[in-house]
């Protein structure tokens, strides 16, 4: 999705927005989608990612230009199977889907009519799509007692002064007036359970949709959106349900099965991440004024600009962020201990580089702290040199033998 | 990760190649293991695409599908797989040793002799990584309940006769693989990762090519370079030089080569051109072989590396547990028991959990006894100490009628056992079950004194060899050197109603026959 996103109508861009747009340069804007927003939670502390996301820089493209392309991709078989399953779920006027929804959300039997909202679908008209989804939600709210299905509505979420465009698979307005987000995924619910990591990712994604729906609902009600996911406002503003419906193939076939997922917790996490993005201004400070990520920049300039943004690399980045291979190369170059695993830094105390930690390991054990070292340093140094001595002894010696 | 593990990884970075994480091989390695590399069809759970397998490195068997969505072909592939694996799996059931055990009848108190069979050896299956283990589990789950044409009510899509049996064996192997230290089904990345530390994270070690890149980098490359090449290098068609070890294939292989080849196959079939379809099918098999071969070679490279390590002393004992596991599964099948249920009943689940915990403890103890590098972990954490005996002072317990030897042994060590005076200690590598107690520890001088408490015979003077001599290397642990038996659990038939009652009462919960793709 390379939508050029217009700012809020009638507003001139703020200095921050201008600065972010300047960073992006002539590169096409990558508008944040739910996957990107949900992935923020994977590495919340990373300022580099926060800035690039806020500026709408296409990180996959950037990674390629940096010479470390992201290894992500989806198999055409997976895509076509996913699409096929989605069609199946939505077939017959969503009869099966609504049955699953009633069952999983424990709704009473009803014979309310089912209507399908007319939505603008042209991908070139994001603003029109957002407006039509909003209008459909408003119309549904005015007419209780009916099922209204919004198929791939486009929702807008304000993120750090720019608009993120989000496209849930389905939003269903129930006869009781509540709105339920429906996520259709192609991993199976096997014997009643599903892969926890995948359910977690789907829940984070659904959480972003509920957040966007809450903003829309608050706008329609003319009130401020609630910041606390655990507090449901009354009236129209409280229409979005914080329980989403996850629809997956059942066992090894492609019959749909569903599970209700409470997304309040991921909503709270994502909310915090989004608020952090608003603080992106301070993260820009280390960037030289002329830095940028546009297509016109040389490799050296790009590397320098990316390097100026503080990264918080951990090996988990490799599967979560497009820049994973780039940041890994950088972290390896710097000899940083984080390249060895997430928990390693905590284990090594103040030793941030492999060289320093190895030097401490090679030094003879010292009882007291050397000048310039604090007690924590001395303690980690002592443990390291003990570990090194034990390792050397074990590798030099023979086995103790079994219990005779 | 432990500090010693981290230190080893840092050394690997410094040296530019992996460093040892063990001085011995901690897992049983069969003389002729079965190596199996599965590929899965993307987007579908437990759907096979191809399998390369065999016990002979030079001549692997390739099974593959021209169209992974074709249910009949999928069954045919599974039937072929069953034909390859079942004779091998069942073959180990023929050679047995007879063990007699005295059992007491709980009612009459009468003692009788019970003779049990134990298979002398068991099969060992090696796959590239944990994902392949899970995939075999999925295959087992999707096939073991299937009805076959031989069933009285075969249903709409009967499976080939031996496929459900294969499913039961795969389920058994996958289940056993959850037991720490077991070796019937092992993942190569786990095996290599247990014995070598690379200069990358455990997450990256899941990539078999990258892991081997660190352990055995080609001449002229550092481990990091070799690993990066394995992860990212592509040929001029954009295909990875080191294809993923599966079960998922590289998406760019799927889109660039496999999908077009399948389209050509489908087209030939649609035209009813049997000759062309066969040729297109052969193309697909050749294509799949090119992405399986590199992993196949790496599997055997891994086997070679592991074989070069000396076997740990406790391997035969642990392998016996695997042989029991194999034997009892053989017996369940022979007795005509139904396939393993989808979910274990409460008692079976609790038993398995208790067994895994017990086996984990036993594994930790045995690895520490077998390998000074594993014992070093405990020494670093203050749970063990080792050093050279500097003084032995005879002493006696004179409270009883005859004095008993209670010698004081002082050793020199930098280890700092976490325990106060009086703490019970266990001697590793000494007389069986010899205990001691901590008398004093002085970190400044590096001297620790312990008092030996048993294992020295019945006489006043200790049996020769039961007390270490000055100059001897000794090791004491703060943890017991045998795993405790956990509290007995009821038999599954006696499951209390609070935990769902006996399994038979809930037999109806076993799915009759999940029909696929309806
Ligand atoms: S890969 Fe780099 S930019 Fe992305 S989250 Fe990790 S450290 Fe931040």
């Amino acid at each position: 999705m390379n939508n050029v996103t217009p700012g809020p109508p009638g507003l001139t861009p703020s200095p921050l927005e201008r600065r972010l747009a300047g960073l992006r340069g002539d590169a096409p804007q990558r508008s944040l989608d739910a996957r990107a927003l949900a992935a923020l939670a994977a590495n919340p502390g990373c300022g580099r990612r926060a800035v690039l996301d806020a500026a709408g820089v296409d990180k996959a493209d950037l990674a390629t230009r940096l010479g470390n392309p992201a290894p992500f991709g989806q198999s055409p078989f997976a895509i076509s199977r996913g699409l096929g399953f989605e069609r199946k779920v939505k077939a017959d006027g969503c009869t099966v889907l609504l049955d699953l929804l009633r069952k999983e959300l424990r709704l009473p039997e009803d014979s309310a009519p089912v209507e399908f909202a007319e939505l603008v679908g042209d991908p070139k008209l994001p603003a029109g799509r957002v407006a039509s989804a909003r209008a459909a939600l408003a119309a549904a709210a005015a007419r209780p007692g009916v099922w209204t299905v919004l198929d791939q509505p486009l929702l807008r979420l304000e993120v750090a002064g720019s608009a993120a465009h989000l496209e849930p698979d389905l939003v269903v307005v129930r006869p009781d007036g509540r709105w339920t987000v429906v996520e259709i995924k192609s991993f199976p619910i096997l014997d009643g359970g599903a892969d926890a990591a995948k359910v977690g990712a789907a829940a984070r994604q659904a959480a972003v949709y509920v957040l966007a729906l809450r903003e829309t609902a608050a706008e329609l009600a003319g009130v401020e959106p609630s910041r606390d996911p655990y507090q449901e406002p009354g009236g129209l503003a409280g229409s979005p349900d914080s329980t989403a419906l996850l629809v997956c193939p059942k066992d090894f076939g492609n019959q749909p099965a569903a599970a209700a997922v409470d997304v309040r917790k991921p909503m709270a996490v994502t909310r915090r991440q989004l608020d952090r993005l608003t603080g992106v201004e301070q993260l820009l400070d280390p960037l030289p004024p002329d830095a940028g990520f546009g297509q016109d920049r040389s490799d050296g300039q790009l590397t320098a600009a990316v390097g100026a943004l503080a990264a918080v690399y951990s090996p988990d980045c490799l599967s979560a962020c497009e820049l994973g291979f780039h940041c890994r190369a950088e972290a390896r170059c710097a000899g940083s201990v984080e390249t060895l695993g997430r928990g390693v830094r905590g284990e090594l105390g103040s030793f941030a580089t492999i060289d320093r930690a190895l030097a401490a390991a090679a030094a003879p054990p010292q009882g007291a702290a050397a000048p310039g070292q604090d007690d924590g340093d001395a303690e980690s140094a002592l443990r390291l040199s003990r570990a090194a001595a034990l390792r050397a002894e074990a590798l030099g010696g023979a086995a103790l033998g079994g219990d005779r | 990760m432990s500090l010693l593990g981290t230190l080893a990884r840092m050394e690997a970075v410094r040296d530019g190649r992996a460093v040892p994480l063990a001085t011995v091989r901690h897992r049983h390695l069969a003389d002729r293991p079965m190596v199996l590399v599965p590929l899965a069809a993307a987007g579908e759970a437990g759907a096979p695409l191809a399998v390369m397998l065999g016990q002979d490195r030079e001549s692997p068997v390739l099974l593959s599908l021209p169209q992974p969505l074709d249910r009949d072909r999928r069954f045919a592939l599974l039937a072929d797989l069953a034909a390859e694996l079942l004779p091998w799996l069942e073959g180990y059931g023929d050679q047995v040793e007879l063990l007699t055990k005295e059992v007491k009848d709980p009612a009459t108190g009468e003692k009788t002799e019970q003779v049990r069979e134990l298979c002398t050896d068991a099969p060992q299956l090696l796959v590239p990584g944990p994902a392949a283990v899970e995939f075999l589990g999925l295959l087992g789950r999707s096939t073991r309940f299937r009805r076959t044409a031989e069933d009285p009510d075969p249903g709409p899509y009967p499976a080939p006769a031996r496929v459900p049996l294969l499913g039961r064996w795969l389920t058994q192997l996958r289940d056993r693989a959850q037991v720490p230290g077991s070796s019937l089904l092992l993942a190569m990345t786990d095996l290599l990762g247990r014995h070598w530390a690379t200069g990358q994270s455990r997450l990256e070690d899941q990539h078999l090519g990258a892991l081997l890149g660190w352990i055995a980098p080609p001449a002229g490359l550092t481990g990091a370079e070799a690993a990066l090449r394995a992860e990212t290098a592509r040929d001029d068609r954009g295909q990875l030089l080191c294809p993923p070890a599966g079960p998922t294939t590289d998406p760019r292989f799927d889109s660039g080569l496999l999908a077009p080849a399948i389209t050509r196959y489908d087209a030939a079939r649609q035209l009813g051109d049997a000759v062309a379809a066969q040729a297109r099918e052969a193309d697909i098999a050749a294509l799949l072989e090119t992405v399986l071969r590199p992993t196949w070679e790496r599997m055997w490279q891994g086997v070679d590396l592991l074989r070069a390590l000396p076997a740990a002393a406790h391997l035969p004992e642990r392998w016996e547990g695997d042989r029991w596991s194999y034997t009892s599964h053989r017996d369940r099948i022979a007795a005509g028991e139904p396939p393993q249920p989808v979910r274990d009943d409460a008692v079976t689940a609790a038993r398995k959990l208790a067994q895994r915990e017990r086996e984990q403890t036993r594994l930790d103890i045995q690895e520490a006894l077998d390998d000074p590098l594993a014992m070093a972990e405990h020494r670093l954490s203050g749970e063990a100490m080792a050093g050279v005996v500097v003084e032995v002072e005879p002493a006696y317990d004179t409270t009883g009628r005859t004095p008993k030897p209670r010698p004081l042994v002082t050793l020199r060590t930098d280890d700092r056992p976490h325990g106060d005076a009086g703490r019970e200690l266990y001697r590793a590598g000494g007389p069986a079950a010899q205990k001691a107690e901590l008398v004093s520890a002085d970190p400044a001088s590096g001297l620790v004194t312990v008092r030996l408490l048993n294992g020295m015979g019945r006489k006043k003077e200790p049996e020769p060899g039961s007390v270490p001599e000055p100059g001897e290397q000794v090791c004491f642990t703060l943890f017991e050197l045998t795993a405790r038996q956990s509290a007995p659990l009821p038999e599954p038939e006696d499951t209390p109603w609070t935990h769902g009652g006996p399994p038979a009462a809930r037999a109806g919960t076993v799915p009759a026959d999940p029909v696929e793709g309806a």
Side-chain angles (χ1 to χ4, degrees):
Chain A
M1 263 194 295
N2 288 332
N3 304 325
V4 177
T5 317
L11 285 181
T12 46
S14 68
L16 175 61
E17 281 174 280
R18 269 202 302 267
R19 175 97 200 267
L20 290 173
L23 283 179
R24 190 171 63 241
D26 55 351
Q29 173 164 18
R30 165 134 190 128
S31 107
L32 282 172
D33 56 18
R35 213 182 272 269
L37 288 180
L40 277 175
N43 190 354
C46 181
R48 176 174 295 175
R49 185 179 171 130
V51 168
L52 293 172
D53 280 346
V57 174
D58 183 335
K59 293 199 296 301
D61 175 62
L62 179 62
T64 308
R65 285 191 287 148
L66 288 166
N68 287 305
F72 306 143
Q74 229 193 336
S75 161
F77 303 116
I79 295 173
S80 73
R81 171 152 159 109
L83 291 175
F85 179 64
E86 209 174 309
R87 269 199 303 278
K88 187 163 180 115
V89 172
K90 292 179 181 173
D92 294 331
C94 290
T95 319
V96 178
L97 174 80
L98 294 183
D99 281 345
L100 286 170
L101 198 133
R102 283 192 199 96
K103 183 168 146 248
E104 293 300 325
L105 300 184
R106 293 164 210 261
L107 303 177
E109 278 299 313
D110 67 79
S111 53
V114 180
E115 294 184 359
F116 289 82
E118 291 271 345
L119 297 176
V120 176
D122 187 343
K124 288 198 283 293
L125 299 173
R129 291 188 61 194
V130 171
S132 76
R134 224 178 91 129
L137 288 169
R143 220 166 11 111
V146 176
W147 290 96
T148 308
V149 178
L150 283 75
D151 192 349
Q152 301 193 329
L154 196 66
L155 308 173
R156 215 183 109 102
L157 186 67
E158 203 71 32
V159 178
S162 58
H165 280 161
L166 311 168
E167 193 174 351
D169 290 328
L170 289 167
V171 173
V172 177
V173 181
R174 295 160 11 196
D176 62 4
R178 303 299 303 273
W179 307 351
T180 302
V181 168
V182 178
E183 267 299 280
I184 304 173
K185 294 287 175 198
S186 50
F187 58 83
I189 295 184
L190 187 55
D191 301 328
D195 185 327
K198 289 178 179 155
V199 174
R204 283 195 293 276
Q205 217 174 316
V208 177
Y209 299 140
V210 179
L211 284 174
L213 281 178
R214 279 205 172 186
E215 292 207 353
T216 311
E219 245 175 75
L220 291 176
V223 298
E224 273 291 303
S226 150
R227 311 293 287 175
D228 176 3
Y230 290 94
Q231 188 220 329
E232 293 212 332
L236 179 55
S239 308
D241 191 345
S242 55
T243 298
L245 190 75
L246 180 63
V247 183
C248 298
K250 181 173 155 53
D251 297 338
F252 299 99
N254 61 354
Q255 288 301 327
V261 187
D262 180 351
V263 300
R264 282 176 298 180
K265 205 166 158 199
M267 275 169 73
V269 176
T270 312
R271 184 78 263 168
R272 271 201 302 281
Q273 299 315 320
L274 297 184
D275 291 347
R276 268 204 64 198
L277 275 190
T278 324
V280 89
E281 205 147 8
Q282 297 106 50
L283 299 174
L284 293 173
D285 287 348
L287 273 183
D290 59 342
F293 306 99
Q295 301 284 1
D296 52 340
R297 305 290 175 147
S298 71
D299 294 356
Q301 283 174 319
L302 272 185
T303 310
V306 171
L309 297 169
V312 183
Y313 171 79
S314 91
D316 303 284
C317 289
L318 296 172
S319 57
C321 179
E322 291 83 351
L323 288 182
F325 276 80
H326 176 77
C327 295
R328 181 178 73 176
E330 192 188 77
R332 278 188 178 166
C333 238
S336 116
V337 298
E338 275 88 2
T339 55
L340 302 180
R342 208 181 232 292
V344 169
R345 185 64 202 274
E347 220 167 50
L348 294 176
S350 54
F351 297 104
T353 67
I354 293 172
D355 280 351
R356 281 198 54 213
L358 280 175
Q366 289 169 328
Q373 254 187 346
D374 62 28
D375 287 351
D377 274 1
E379 176 63 34
S380 339
L382 188 66
R383 272 181 48 82
L384 267 170
S385 77
R386 278 291 300 137
L390 284 171
R391 182 168 160 80
E393 183 191 325
L395 285 172
L400 291 160
D403 42 355
R404 264 179 261 149
Chain B
M1 209 176 358
S2 68
L3 186 63
L4 272 162
T6 303
L7 178 68
R9 286 186 190 269
M10 295 195 295
E11 288 178 1
V13 172
R14 180 194 63 200
D15 299 354
R17 62 186 301 148
V19 298
L21 208 51
T23 62
V24 291
R25 175 161 46 75
H26 287 291
R27 296 293 178 273
H28 174 82
L29 191 57
D31 287 340
R32 296 193 66 224
M34 174 71 77
V35 170
L36 185 150
V37 184
L39 289 184
E44 211 165 336
L49 172 65
V51 183
M52 187 171 268
L53 77 163
Q55 292 178 280
D56 183 356
R57 177 183 206 151
E58 305 310 325
S59 52
V61 173
L62 172 72
L63 306 175
S64 70
L65 290 180
Q67 170 47 279
L69 299 178
D70 181 336
R71 181 203 312 266
D72 293 336
R73 293 300 303 254
R74 190 183 296 173
F75 273 154
L77 178 134
L78 290 171
D80 289 347
L81 186 61
E84 293 291 336
L85 286 180
L86 284 175
W88 168 73
L89 283 165
E90 290 166 341
Y92 289 89
D94 301 339
Q95 292 272 346
V96 296
E97 56 183 283
L98 296 177
L99 300 173
T100 48
K101 189 169 91 168
E102 211 163 68
V103 285
K104 211 159 113 185
D105 190 307
T108 62
E110 212 175 301
K111 281 186 186 165
T112 46
E113 262 198 0
Q114 199 185 50
V115 180
R116 291 203 292 172
E117 285 188 352
L118 173 61
C119 296
T120 50
D121 202 3
Q124 182 176 54
L125 186 61
L126 301 179
V127 296
V133 173
E134 287 316 303
F135 181 70
L136 293 187
L138 276 179
L139 277 186
R141 166 63 185 82
S142 71
T143 53
R144 69 181 189 267
F145 301 113
R146 289 224 165 255
R147 278 175 285 189
T148 68
E150 290 167 7
D151 276 318
D153 171 20
Y157 301 105
R162 302 262 281 168
V163 166
L165 187 58
L166 175 69
R168 297 174 63 174
W169 275 107
L170 292 179
T171 304
Q172 156 72 8
L173 292 175
R174 150 79 188 2
D175 216 35
R176 179 70 190 167
Q178 311 291 303
V179 176
S182 70
S183 299
L184 291 183
L185 167 59
L186 286 167
M188 185 54 77
T189 50
D190 288 348
L191 272 173
L192 295 173
R194 172 63 192 88
H195 297 91
W196 281 274
T198 63
Q200 59 186 6
S201 67
R202 202 169 280 217
L203 223 72
E204 290 150 298
D205 284 349
Q206 300 278 312
H207 189 299
L208 180 61
L211 179 56
L212 280 168
W214 274 99
I215 297 175
L221 290 184
T222 65
E225 287 162 353
L228 185 67
R229 190 152 92 173
E231 286 170 333
T232 58
R234 290 181 182 270
D235 64 13
D236 44 15
R237 290 181 308 174
Q239 296 300 317
L240 284 168
L241 295 180
C242 169
T248 40
T249 43
D250 177 28
R252 281 170 71 181
F253 168 73
D254 288 3
S255 59
L257 298 178
L258 185 59
I262 291 179
T263 309
R264 285 194 291 273
Y265 166 79
D266 285 343
R269 292 236 324 174
Q270 226 141 52
L271 291 175
D273 185 342
V275 178
Q278 209 161 32
R280 298 292 81 80
E281 181 173 342
D283 292 346
I284 294 174
L287 209 51
L288 290 168
E289 178 165 11
T290 58
V291 289
L292 281 163
R293 265 288 181 177
T295 305
W296 175 261
E297 293 301 334
R298 285 189 173 83
M299 288 294 290
W300 290 99
Q301 189 192 352
V303 170
D304 287 346
L305 284 162
L306 290 161
R307 228 187 267 296
L309 293 172
H314 279 95
L315 291 189
E317 187 186 323
R318 286 208 297 277
W319 181 242
E320 194 182 310
D322 286 314
R323 285 161 54 205
W324 277 116
S325 166
Y326 169 80
T327 307
S328 52
H329 188 66
R330 177 201 73 154
D331 296 345
R332 280 193 293 272
I333 287 183
E337 286 190 21
Q340 304 94 324
V342 166
R343 252 186 292 268
D344 289 324
D345 58 88
V347 170
T348 307
R351 265 174 195 283
K352 282 186 182 169
L353 203 65
Q355 183 203 21
R356 284 170 203 170
E357 279 169 13
R358 199 171 58 237
E359 289 302 320
Q360 184 65 58
T361 312
R362 186 161 80 127
L363 180 65
D364 288 346
I365 293 168
Q366 294 187 341
E367 288 193 349
L369 290 172
D370 291 347
D371 182 355
L373 209 41
M375 185 60 92
E377 299 276 2
H378 300 287
R379 293 172 62 189
L380 186 62
S381 66
E383 287 294 306
M385 58 173 173
V388 177
V389 176
V390 291
E391 201 189 331
V392 180
E393 188 188 318
Y396 301 90
D397 172 1
T398 52
T399 54
R401 252 187 314 132
T402 49
K404 296 182 200 108
R406 294 289 183 266
L408 292 166
V409 177
T410 301
L411 52 146
R412 182 176 300 286
T413 177
D414 289 330
D415 296 343
R416 299 192 182 167
H418 283 178
D420 299 324
R423 175 73 152 92
E424 195 155 87
L425 302 172
Y426 307 87
R427 185 164 163 208
Q434 189 170 50
K435 287 189 201 174
E437 68 179 15
L438 189 61
V439 175
S440 66
D442 177 16
S445 63
L447 294 177
V448 176
T449 303
V450 306
R451 185 194 307 277
L452 295 184
L453 298 177
N454 65 358
M456 292 167 285
R458 296 170 177 279
K459 306 203 190 72
K460 184 180 177 218
E461 292 313 319
E463 293 276 327
S466 64
V467 176
E469 311 261 328
E472 202 176 320
Q473 178 82 26
V474 288
C475 178
F476 291 93
T477 63
L478 279 69
F479 52 89
E480 284 186 59
L481 294 173
T482 45
R484 278 176 194 275
Q485 290 290 326
S486 48
L489 289 159
E491 291 298 319
E493 298 75 57
D494 301 329
T495 311
W497 62 269
T498 44
H499 290 74
R506 292 172 296 120
T509 56
V510 174
D513 186 13
V515 171
E516 185 181 332

